Amino acid sequence: MVNRKIIQFLLRSGLTLTVLLLSLGISIHLLQGQMQARSVKLFHLLSPELTIGDQLLGLGVLILAMTPALRVLTLLVLWMREKDWKFVGISGLVVLMLIISIYLGGG
């Protein structure tokens, strides 16, 4: 039961933060008269050449993409504490696949 509440909080927080960041980023773009957002690479997200609106939008998308990965990592830790080794193994494989896909995708 506690595990369910932790995961629920994580997912709800990730979605709330995403909505907040995307809303702020879009609002800033509209206030500045910009109708398009720039493509932002992960490692250039905090680059000074980007506008604050682009940075907020990029962070919002990053948080949205990372929320399910954080869920898997959290479940991995919770299942390790419960010694549920079958699910530890499965979630460990999922984490490994996520790491490989990020590495192969160029981060």
Side-chain angles (χ1 to χ4, degrees), residues 7 16 25 30 39 48 55-56 60 81 83 87 102 105:
I7 298 302
T16 302
L30 292 175
S39 175
Q55 289 175 339
L56 290 172
R81 286 178 27 195
K83 297 183 171 127
F87 288 111
I102 289 170

Side-chain angles (χ1 to χ4, degrees), residues 25-97:
I26 289 170
S27 298
I28 289 171
H29 267 275
L30 292 175
L31 288 172
Q32 293 175 343
Q34 297 174 327
M35 294 299 156
Q36 290 186 9
R38 293 173 46 185
S39 175
V40 178
K41 292 191 178 197
L42 176 61
F43 294 113
H44 296 102
L45 196 56
L46 300 176
S47 171
E49 65 189 39
L50 292 175
T51 66
I52 188 72
D54 288 330
Q55 289 175 339
L56 290 172
L57 288 171
L59 282 172
V61 171
L62 177 64
I63 301 273
L64 183 64
M66 291 304 298
T67 300
L70 289 174
R71 175 183 184 251
V72 173
L73 284 171
T74 304
L75 285 170
L76 175 67
V77 170
L78 291 173
W79 284 327
M80 286 175 86
R81 286 178 27 195
E82 292 179 4
K83 297 183 171 127
D84 195 341
W85 303 118
K86 176 181 173 183
F87 288 111
V88 168
I90 293 169
S91 58
L93 283 173
V94 172
V95 169
L96 181 64
M97 287 189 284

